[in-house]
mmCIF file of all heavy atoms in Angstrom:
data_model
loop_
_atom_site.group_PDB
_atom_site.id
_atom_site.type_symbol
_atom_site.label_atom_id
_atom_site.label_comp_id
_atom_site.label_asym_id
_atom_site.label_seq_id
_atom_site.Cartn_x
_atom_site.Cartn_y
_atom_site.Cartn_z
ATOM 1 N N VAL M 99 -9.053 -15.241 -20.761
ATOM 2 C CA VAL M 99 -10.518 -15.234 -20.835
ATOM 3 C C VAL M 99 -10.927 -15.287 -22.294
ATOM 4 O O VAL M 99 -10.535 -14.448 -23.082
ATOM 5 C CB VAL M 99 -11.094 -13.974 -20.171
ATOM 6 C CG1 VAL M 99 -12.588 -13.989 -20.216
ATOM 7 C CG2 VAL M 99 -10.600 -13.909 -18.739
ATOM 8 N N GLY M 100 -11.737 -16.278 -22.636
ATOM 9 C CA GLY M 100 -12.006 -16.542 -24.050
ATOM 10 C C GLY M 100 -12.842 -15.486 -24.724
ATOM 11 O O GLY M 100 -12.703 -15.210 -25.887
ATOM 12 N N ASN M 101 -13.747 -14.853 -23.969
ATOM 13 C CA ASN M 101 -14.698 -13.956 -24.605
ATOM 14 C C ASN M 101 -14.054 -12.714 -25.158
ATOM 15 O O ASN M 101 -14.676 -11.987 -25.912
ATOM 16 C CB ASN M 101 -15.781 -13.551 -23.603
ATOM 17 C CG ASN M 101 -16.793 -14.663 -23.439
ATOM 18 O OD1 ASN M 101 -17.122 -15.322 -24.411
ATOM 19 N ND2 ASN M 101 -17.259 -14.890 -22.243
ATOM 20 N N LYS M 102 -12.830 -12.457 -24.763
ATOM 21 C CA LYS M 102 -12.211 -11.216 -25.217
ATOM 22 C C LYS M 102 -11.570 -11.362 -26.581
ATOM 23 O O LYS M 102 -10.930 -10.456 -27.074
ATOM 24 C CB LYS M 102 -11.151 -10.782 -24.202
ATOM 25 C CG LYS M 102 -11.825 -10.268 -22.946
ATOM 26 C CD LYS M 102 -10.860 -10.061 -21.817
ATOM 27 C CE LYS M 102 -11.661 -9.635 -20.596
ATOM 28 N NZ LYS M 102 -10.948 -9.859 -19.374
ATOM 29 N N LYS M 103 -11.740 -12.482 -27.218
ATOM 30 C CA LYS M 103 -11.115 -12.702 -28.519
ATOM 31 C C LYS M 103 -11.658 -11.724 -29.550
ATOM 32 O O LYS M 103 -10.946 -11.191 -30.363
ATOM 33 C CB LYS M 103 -11.378 -14.133 -28.964
ATOM 34 C CG LYS M 103 -10.220 -14.759 -29.710
ATOM 35 C CD LYS M 103 -10.532 -16.207 -30.016
ATOM 36 C CE LYS M 103 -9.400 -16.802 -30.849
ATOM 37 N NZ LYS M 103 -9.662 -18.186 -31.189
ATOM 38 N N LYS M 104 -12.965 -11.468 -29.474
ATOM 39 C CA LYS M 104 -13.567 -10.556 -30.448
ATOM 40 C C LYS M 104 -12.919 -9.195 -30.357
ATOM 41 O O LYS M 104 -12.626 -8.550 -31.333
ATOM 42 C CB LYS M 104 -15.065 -10.415 -30.165
ATOM 43 C CG LYS M 104 -15.855 -11.666 -30.441
ATOM 44 C CD LYS M 104 -17.316 -11.435 -30.079
ATOM 45 C CE LYS M 104 -18.079 -12.747 -30.101
ATOM 46 N NZ LYS M 104 -19.439 -12.611 -29.586
ATOM 47 N N ASP M 105 -12.696 -8.774 -29.110
ATOM 48 C CA ASP M 105 -12.138 -7.445 -28.936
ATOM 49 C C ASP M 105 -10.720 -7.373 -29.442
ATOM 50 O O ASP M 105 -10.273 -6.354 -29.925
ATOM 51 C CB ASP M 105 -12.179 -7.092 -27.445
ATOM 52 C CG ASP M 105 -12.381 -5.617 -27.234
ATOM 53 O OD1 ASP M 105 -13.049 -5.000 -28.075
ATOM 54 O OD2 ASP M 105 -11.891 -5.097 -26.245
ATOM 55 N N GLN M 106 -9.999 -8.471 -29.325
ATOM 56 C CA GLN M 106 -8.603 -8.432 -29.732
ATOM 57 C C GLN M 106 -8.472 -8.213 -31.228
ATOM 58 O O GLN M 106 -7.496 -7.662 -31.689
ATOM 59 C CB GLN M 106 -7.918 -9.732 -29.352
ATOM 60 C CG GLN M 106 -7.642 -9.812 -27.867
ATOM 61 C CD GLN M 106 -7.154 -11.156 -27.469
ATOM 62 O OE1 GLN M 106 -6.790 -11.937 -28.338
ATOM 63 N NE2 GLN M 106 -7.142 -11.439 -26.198
ATOM 64 N N GLU M 107 -9.454 -8.670 -31.989
ATOM 65 C CA GLU M 107 -9.353 -8.461 -33.431
ATOM 66 C C GLU M 107 -9.440 -6.989 -33.758
ATOM 67 O O GLU M 107 -8.880 -6.524 -34.740
ATOM 68 C CB GLU M 107 -10.466 -9.233 -34.149
ATOM 69 C CG GLU M 107 -10.231 -10.746 -34.074
ATOM 70 C CD GLU M 107 -11.444 -11.528 -34.524
ATOM 71 O OE1 GLU M 107 -12.452 -10.900 -34.890
ATOM 72 O OE2 GLU M 107 -11.379 -12.744 -34.510
ATOM 73 N N ASN M 108 -10.153 -6.230 -32.896
ATOM 74 C CA ASN M 108 -10.223 -4.794 -33.138
ATOM 75 C C ASN M 108 -9.026 -4.066 -32.562
ATOM 76 O O ASN M 108 -8.829 -2.904 -32.813
ATOM 77 C CB ASN M 108 -11.499 -4.214 -32.509
ATOM 78 C CG ASN M 108 -12.726 -4.727 -33.211
ATOM 79 O OD1 ASN M 108 -12.657 -5.009 -34.398
ATOM 80 N ND2 ASN M 108 -13.814 -4.870 -32.506
ATOM 81 N N VAL M 109 -8.243 -4.722 -31.714
ATOM 82 C CA VAL M 109 -7.083 -4.067 -31.093
ATOM 83 C C VAL M 109 -5.845 -4.848 -31.489
ATOM 84 O O VAL M 109 -5.252 -5.528 -30.670
ATOM 85 C CB VAL M 109 -7.228 -4.051 -29.556
ATOM 86 C CG1 VAL M 109 -6.116 -3.250 -28.927
ATOM 87 C CG2 VAL M 109 -8.577 -3.450 -29.172
ATOM 88 N N PRO M 110 -5.455 -4.769 -32.714
ATOM 89 C CA PRO M 110 -4.388 -5.653 -33.165
ATOM 90 C C PRO M 110 -2.992 -5.234 -32.745
ATOM 91 O O PRO M 110 -2.172 -6.052 -32.405
ATOM 92 C CB PRO M 110 -4.519 -5.628 -34.686
ATOM 93 C CG PRO M 110 -5.148 -4.321 -34.963
ATOM 94 C CD PRO M 110 -5.998 -3.968 -33.801
ATOM 95 N N GLN M 111 -2.732 -3.937 -32.747
ATOM 96 C CA GLN M 111 -1.342 -3.529 -32.600
ATOM 97 C C GLN M 111 -1.174 -2.684 -31.361
ATOM 98 O O GLN M 111 -1.403 -1.492 -31.362
ATOM 99 C CB GLN M 111 -0.893 -2.735 -33.825
ATOM 100 C CG GLN M 111 -0.806 -3.634 -35.059
ATOM 101 C CD GLN M 111 -0.709 -2.822 -36.311
ATOM 102 O OE1 GLN M 111 -0.682 -1.603 -36.245
ATOM 103 N NE2 GLN M 111 -0.672 -3.497 -37.448
ATOM 104 N N LEU M 112 -0.790 -3.329 -30.269
ATOM 105 C CA LEU M 112 -0.504 -2.612 -29.037
ATOM 106 C C LEU M 112 0.983 -2.651 -28.791
ATOM 107 O O LEU M 112 1.671 -3.573 -29.215
ATOM 108 C CB LEU M 112 -1.214 -3.251 -27.859
ATOM 109 C CG LEU M 112 -2.732 -3.148 -27.871
ATOM 110 C CD1 LEU M 112 -3.313 -3.993 -26.778
ATOM 111 C CD2 LEU M 112 -3.177 -1.723 -27.723
ATOM 112 N N GLU M 113 1.469 -1.663 -28.078
ATOM 113 C CA GLU M 113 2.909 -1.613 -27.874
ATOM 114 C C GLU M 113 3.364 -2.567 -26.774
ATOM 115 O O GLU M 113 4.527 -2.858 -26.656
ATOM 116 C CB GLU M 113 3.334 -0.190 -27.521
ATOM 117 C CG GLU M 113 3.229 0.738 -28.711
ATOM 118 C CD GLU M 113 3.594 2.148 -28.354
ATOM 119 O OE1 GLU M 113 3.791 2.431 -27.168
ATOM 120 O OE2 GLU M 113 3.695 2.961 -29.262
ATOM 121 N N PHE M 114 2.469 -3.009 -25.918
ATOM 122 C CA PHE M 114 2.871 -3.935 -24.878
ATOM 123 C C PHE M 114 1.935 -5.129 -24.892
ATOM 124 O O PHE M 114 0.798 -5.028 -25.311
ATOM 125 C CB PHE M 114 2.857 -3.274 -23.500
ATOM 126 C CG PHE M 114 1.535 -2.658 -23.148
ATOM 127 C CD1 PHE M 114 0.548 -3.379 -22.484
ATOM 128 C CD2 PHE M 114 1.256 -1.346 -23.477
ATOM 129 C CE1 PHE M 114 -0.670 -2.799 -22.167
ATOM 130 C CE2 PHE M 114 0.041 -0.765 -23.157
ATOM 131 C CZ PHE M 114 -0.915 -1.489 -22.504
ATOM 132 N N ILE M 115 2.428 -6.242 -24.416
ATOM 133 C CA ILE M 115 1.605 -7.441 -24.354
ATOM 134 C C ILE M 115 1.200 -7.620 -22.904
ATOM 135 O O ILE M 115 2.027 -7.741 -22.013
ATOM 136 C CB ILE M 115 2.385 -8.672 -24.846
ATOM 137 C CG1 ILE M 115 2.753 -8.482 -26.319
ATOM 138 C CG2 ILE M 115 1.564 -9.928 -24.664
ATOM 139 C CD1 ILE M 115 3.701 -9.520 -26.835
ATOM 140 N N SER M 116 -0.099 -7.622 -22.633
ATOM 141 C CA SER M 116 -0.548 -7.754 -21.247
ATOM 142 C C SER M 116 -1.517 -8.911 -21.154
ATOM 143 O O SER M 116 -2.310 -9.148 -22.059
ATOM 144 C CB SER M 116 -1.228 -6.475 -20.788
ATOM 145 O OG SER M 116 -2.389 -6.263 -21.548
ATOM 146 N N SER M 117 -1.432 -9.633 -20.057
ATOM 147 C CA SER M 117 -2.341 -10.752 -19.894
ATOM 148 C C SER M 117 -3.604 -10.329 -19.172
ATOM 149 O O SER M 117 -4.576 -11.050 -19.157
ATOM 150 C CB SER M 117 -1.645 -11.870 -19.114
ATOM 151 O OG SER M 117 -1.264 -11.372 -17.857
ATOM 152 N N LYS M 118 -3.624 -9.149 -18.546
ATOM 153 C CA LYS M 118 -4.832 -8.693 -17.872
ATOM 154 C C LYS M 118 -5.326 -7.424 -18.551
ATOM 155 O O LYS M 118 -4.561 -6.607 -18.991
ATOM 156 C CB LYS M 118 -4.511 -8.369 -16.415
ATOM 157 C CG LYS M 118 -4.211 -9.610 -15.591
ATOM 158 C CD LYS M 118 -4.327 -9.288 -14.118
ATOM 159 C CE LYS M 118 -4.481 -10.559 -13.325
ATOM 160 N NZ LYS M 118 -3.336 -11.002 -12.667
ATOM 161 N N THR M 119 -6.608 -7.256 -18.551
ATOM 162 C CA THR M 119 -7.149 -6.065 -19.224
ATOM 163 C C THR M 119 -6.976 -4.858 -18.329
ATOM 164 O O THR M 119 -6.650 -4.964 -17.151
ATOM 165 C CB THR M 119 -8.637 -6.252 -19.509
ATOM 166 O OG1 THR M 119 -9.282 -6.396 -18.242
ATOM 167 C CG2 THR M 119 -8.868 -7.488 -20.333
ATOM 168 N N ASP M 120 -7.258 -3.684 -18.926
ATOM 169 C CA ASP M 120 -7.125 -2.440 -18.162
ATOM 170 C C ASP M 120 -8.100 -2.383 -17.011
ATOM 171 O O ASP M 120 -7.788 -1.900 -15.928
ATOM 172 C CB ASP M 120 -7.364 -1.240 -19.088
ATOM 173 C CG ASP M 120 -6.231 -1.076 -20.066
ATOM 174 O OD1 ASP M 120 -5.125 -1.528 -19.752
ATOM 175 O OD2 ASP M 120 -6.465 -0.492 -21.139
ATOM 176 N N ILE M 121 -9.321 -2.917 -17.265
ATOM 177 C CA ILE M 121 -10.334 -2.873 -16.207
ATOM 178 C C ILE M 121 -9.854 -3.665 -15.003
ATOM 179 O O ILE M 121 -9.910 -3.207 -13.859
ATOM 180 C CB ILE M 121 -11.665 -3.477 -16.698
ATOM 181 C CG1 ILE M 121 -12.100 -2.834 -18.004
ATOM 182 C CG2 ILE M 121 -12.737 -3.298 -15.653
ATOM 183 C CD1 ILE M 121 -13.213 -3.583 -18.671
ATOM 184 N N GLU M 122 -9.343 -4.867 -15.287
ATOM 185 C CA GLU M 122 -8.914 -5.722 -14.179
ATOM 186 C C GLU M 122 -7.782 -5.069 -13.418
ATOM 187 O O GLU M 122 -7.752 -5.094 -12.188
ATOM 188 C CB GLU M 122 -8.474 -7.084 -14.716
ATOM 189 C CG GLU M 122 -9.638 -7.987 -15.066
ATOM 190 C CD GLU M 122 -9.171 -9.357 -15.534
ATOM 191 O OE1 GLU M 122 -8.095 -9.780 -15.070
ATOM 192 O OE2 GLU M 122 -9.862 -9.966 -16.334
ATOM 193 N N ARG M 123 -6.852 -4.508 -14.151
ATOM 194 C CA ARG M 123 -5.718 -3.889 -13.486
ATOM 195 C C ARG M 123 -6.158 -2.714 -12.636
ATOM 196 O O ARG M 123 -5.653 -2.494 -11.528
ATOM 197 C CB ARG M 123 -4.659 -3.452 -14.500
ATOM 198 C CG ARG M 123 -3.458 -4.382 -14.508
ATOM 199 C CD ARG M 123 -2.360 -3.918 -15.405
ATOM 200 N NE ARG M 123 -2.576 -4.300 -16.775
ATOM 201 C CZ ARG M 123 -2.743 -3.430 -17.750
ATOM 202 N NH1 ARG M 123 -2.725 -2.142 -17.527
ATOM 203 N NH2 ARG M 123 -2.941 -3.857 -18.979
ATOM 204 N N ASN M 124 -7.140 -1.979 -13.156
ATOM 205 C CA ASN M 124 -7.653 -0.846 -12.392
ATOM 206 C C ASN M 124 -8.284 -1.327 -11.083
ATOM 207 O O ASN M 124 -8.034 -0.763 -10.011
ATOM 208 C CB ASN M 124 -8.694 -0.108 -13.250
ATOM 209 C CG ASN M 124 -9.132 1.175 -12.618
ATOM 210 O OD1 ASN M 124 -8.412 1.744 -11.811
ATOM 211 N ND2 ASN M 124 -10.314 1.625 -12.954
ATOM 212 N N ILE M 125 -9.061 -2.410 -11.206
ATOM 213 C CA ILE M 125 -9.728 -2.920 -10.008
ATOM 214 C C ILE M 125 -8.705 -3.458 -9.026
ATOM 215 O O ILE M 125 -8.798 -3.227 -7.811
ATOM 216 C CB ILE M 125 -10.748 -4.010 -10.405
ATOM 217 C CG1 ILE M 125 -11.909 -3.358 -11.157
ATOM 218 C CG2 ILE M 125 -11.252 -4.748 -9.196
ATOM 219 C CD1 ILE M 125 -12.870 -4.341 -11.741
ATOM 220 N N ILE M 126 -7.714 -4.188 -9.555
ATOM 221 C CA ILE M 126 -6.686 -4.744 -8.685
ATOM 222 C C ILE M 126 -5.977 -3.628 -7.944
ATOM 223 O O ILE M 126 -5.714 -3.717 -6.741
ATOM 224 C CB ILE M 126 -5.693 -5.591 -9.509
ATOM 225 C CG1 ILE M 126 -6.361 -6.855 -10.006
ATOM 226 C CG2 ILE M 126 -4.470 -5.924 -8.683
ATOM 227 C CD1 ILE M 126 -5.567 -7.561 -11.063
ATOM 228 N N ASN M 127 -5.675 -2.554 -8.678
ATOM 229 C CA ASN M 127 -5.021 -1.401 -8.052
ATOM 230 C C ASN M 127 -5.848 -0.852 -6.909
ATOM 231 O O ASN M 127 -5.331 -0.569 -5.823
ATOM 232 C CB ASN M 127 -4.836 -0.289 -9.086
ATOM 233 C CG ASN M 127 -3.394 -0.177 -9.508
ATOM 234 O OD1 ASN M 127 -2.516 -0.759 -8.891
ATOM 235 N ND2 ASN M 127 -3.163 0.562 -10.566
ATOM 236 N N ARG M 128 -7.132 -0.690 -7.181
ATOM 237 C CA ARG M 128 -7.985 -0.080 -6.173
ATOM 238 C C ARG M 128 -8.115 -0.971 -4.944
ATOM 239 O O ARG M 128 -8.091 -0.493 -3.807
ATOM 240 C CB ARG M 128 -9.357 0.230 -6.789
ATOM 241 C CG ARG M 128 -9.323 1.522 -7.581
ATOM 242 C CD ARG M 128 -10.338 1.573 -8.679
ATOM 243 N NE ARG M 128 -11.686 1.498 -8.189
ATOM 244 C CZ ARG M 128 -12.747 1.389 -8.981
ATOM 245 N NH1 ARG M 128 -12.588 1.347 -10.271
ATOM 246 N NH2 ARG M 128 -13.944 1.313 -8.471
ATOM 247 N N LEU M 129 -8.231 -2.279 -5.174
ATOM 248 C CA LEU M 129 -8.302 -3.190 -4.035
ATOM 249 C C LEU M 129 -7.033 -3.116 -3.207
ATOM 250 O O LEU M 129 -7.066 -3.083 -1.967
ATOM 251 C CB LEU M 129 -8.501 -4.629 -4.520
ATOM 252 C CG LEU M 129 -9.903 -5.042 -4.946
ATOM 253 C CD1 LEU M 129 -9.878 -6.462 -5.444
ATOM 254 C CD2 LEU M 129 -10.869 -4.899 -3.799
ATOM 255 N N GLU M 130 -5.907 -3.095 -3.914
ATOM 256 C CA GLU M 130 -4.626 -3.063 -3.230
ATOM 257 C C GLU M 130 -4.488 -1.797 -2.406
ATOM 258 O O GLU M 130 -3.973 -1.823 -1.290
ATOM 259 C CB GLU M 130 -3.511 -3.150 -4.285
ATOM 260 C CG GLU M 130 -2.489 -4.213 -3.992
ATOM 261 C CD GLU M 130 -1.215 -3.609 -3.490
ATOM 262 O OE1 GLU M 130 -0.960 -2.453 -3.855
ATOM 263 O OE2 GLU M 130 -0.506 -4.255 -2.729
ATOM 264 N N ILE M 131 -4.990 -0.683 -2.952
ATOM 265 C CA ILE M 131 -4.868 0.579 -2.224
ATOM 266 C C ILE M 131 -5.764 0.569 -0.989
ATOM 267 O O ILE M 131 -5.381 1.107 0.059
ATOM 268 C CB ILE M 131 -5.198 1.769 -3.158
ATOM 269 C CG1 ILE M 131 -4.050 1.959 -4.144
ATOM 270 C CG2 ILE M 131 -5.401 3.029 -2.370
ATOM 271 C CD1 ILE M 131 -4.349 2.928 -5.236
ATOM 272 N N ILE M 132 -6.926 -0.074 -1.104
ATOM 273 C CA ILE M 132 -7.770 -0.196 0.090
ATOM 274 C C ILE M 132 -6.997 -0.915 1.180
ATOM 275 O O ILE M 132 -6.939 -0.478 2.339
ATOM 276 C CB ILE M 132 -9.062 -0.976 -0.233
ATOM 277 C CG1 ILE M 132 -9.976 -0.144 -1.124
ATOM 278 C CG2 ILE M 132 -9.795 -1.372 1.023
ATOM 279 C CD1 ILE M 132 -11.181 -0.897 -1.627
ATOM 280 N N GLY M 133 -6.370 -2.037 0.818
ATOM 281 C CA GLY M 133 -5.585 -2.792 1.794
ATOM 282 C C GLY M 133 -4.406 -1.986 2.305
ATOM 283 O O GLY M 133 -4.066 -2.039 3.496
ATOM 284 N N TYR M 134 -3.798 -1.207 1.410
ATOM 285 C CA TYR M 134 -2.623 -0.424 1.792
ATOM 286 C C TYR M 134 -2.963 0.566 2.887
ATOM 287 O O TYR M 134 -2.270 0.675 3.904
ATOM 288 C CB TYR M 134 -2.083 0.304 0.558
ATOM 289 C CG TYR M 134 -0.876 1.163 0.823
ATOM 290 C CD1 TYR M 134 0.391 0.617 0.842
ATOM 291 C CD2 TYR M 134 -1.008 2.522 1.048
ATOM 292 C CE1 TYR M 134 1.498 1.390 1.078
ATOM 293 C CE2 TYR M 134 0.091 3.312 1.292
ATOM 294 C CZ TYR M 134 1.352 2.741 1.296
ATOM 295 O OH TYR M 134 2.440 3.520 1.540
ATOM 296 N N ARG M 135 -4.058 1.297 2.655
ATOM 297 C CA ARG M 135 -4.430 2.299 3.649
ATOM 298 C C ARG M 135 -4.802 1.649 4.972
ATOM 299 O O ARG M 135 -4.459 2.138 6.053
ATOM 300 C CB ARG M 135 -5.577 3.146 3.112
ATOM 301 C CG ARG M 135 -5.147 4.101 2.009
ATOM 302 C CD ARG M 135 -6.317 4.544 1.186
ATOM 303 N NE ARG M 135 -7.282 5.285 1.954
ATOM 304 C CZ ARG M 135 -7.317 6.622 2.018
ATOM 305 N NH1 ARG M 135 -6.429 7.324 1.355
ATOM 306 N NH2 ARG M 135 -8.240 7.214 2.736
ATOM 307 N N LEU M 136 -5.494 0.510 4.855
ATOM 308 C CA LEU M 136 -5.878 -0.222 6.068
ATOM 309 C C LEU M 136 -4.643 -0.641 6.849
ATOM 310 O O LEU M 136 -4.551 -0.444 8.066
ATOM 311 C CB LEU M 136 -6.691 -1.452 5.654
ATOM 312 C CG LEU M 136 -7.456 -2.197 6.717
ATOM 313 C CD1 LEU M 136 -8.476 -1.306 7.334
ATOM 314 C CD2 LEU M 136 -8.132 -3.401 6.096
ATOM 315 N N GLY M 137 -3.675 -1.215 6.132
ATOM 316 C CA GLY M 137 -2.458 -1.683 6.788
ATOM 317 C C GLY M 137 -1.681 -0.556 7.431
ATOM 318 O O GLY M 137 -1.187 -0.675 8.555
ATOM 319 N N GLU M 138 -1.606 0.579 6.711
ATOM 320 C CA GLU M 138 -0.867 1.728 7.240
ATOM 321 C C GLU M 138 -1.444 2.186 8.568
ATOM 322 O O GLU M 138 -0.743 2.403 9.552
ATOM 323 C CB GLU M 138 -0.980 2.877 6.229
ATOM 324 C CG GLU M 138 0.324 3.414 5.766
ATOM 325 C CD GLU M 138 0.176 4.645 4.894
ATOM 326 O OE1 GLU M 138 -0.943 4.993 4.509
ATOM 327 O OE2 GLU M 138 1.209 5.240 4.607
ATOM 328 N N ARG M 139 -2.775 2.315 8.572
ATOM 329 C CA ARG M 139 -3.394 2.884 9.759
ATOM 330 C C ARG M 139 -3.364 1.944 10.946
ATOM 331 O O ARG M 139 -3.123 2.365 12.088
ATOM 332 C CB ARG M 139 -4.823 3.325 9.434
ATOM 333 C CG ARG M 139 -4.847 4.608 8.639
ATOM 334 C CD ARG M 139 -6.024 4.698 7.708
ATOM 335 N NE ARG M 139 -6.214 6.039 7.181
ATOM 336 C CZ ARG M 139 -5.484 6.574 6.206
ATOM 337 N NH1 ARG M 139 -4.548 5.880 5.644
ATOM 338 N NH2 ARG M 139 -5.721 7.797 5.796
ATOM 339 N N THR M 140 -3.594 0.640 10.688
ATOM 340 C CA THR M 140 -3.512 -0.294 11.811
ATOM 341 C C THR M 140 -2.085 -0.348 12.336
ATOM 342 O O THR M 140 -1.870 -0.447 13.556
ATOM 343 C CB THR M 140 -3.939 -1.713 11.413
ATOM 344 O OG1 THR M 140 -3.594 -1.953 10.061
ATOM 345 C CG2 THR M 140 -5.408 -1.933 11.593
#
Side-chain angles (χ1 to χ4, degrees):
Chain M
V99 182
N101 282 322
K102 288 170 184 159
K103 216 176 176 181
K104 292 178 191 172
D105 212 32
Q106 285 172 14
E107 290 168 0
N108 293 330
V109 186
Q111 291 166 1
L112 293 171
E113 289 178 353
F114 55 90
I115 297 171
S116 64
S117 60
K118 290 197 162 102
T119 62
D120 290 335
I121 308 167
E122 282 183 30
R123 255 185 277 117
N124 188 24
I125 291 173
I126 291 167
N127 254 348
R128 279 153 62 187
L129 281 178
E130 231 255 333
I131 287 171
I132 290 173
Y134 179 84
R135 288 160 63 96
L136 193 62
E138 236 187 351
R139 284 149 167 77
T140 32

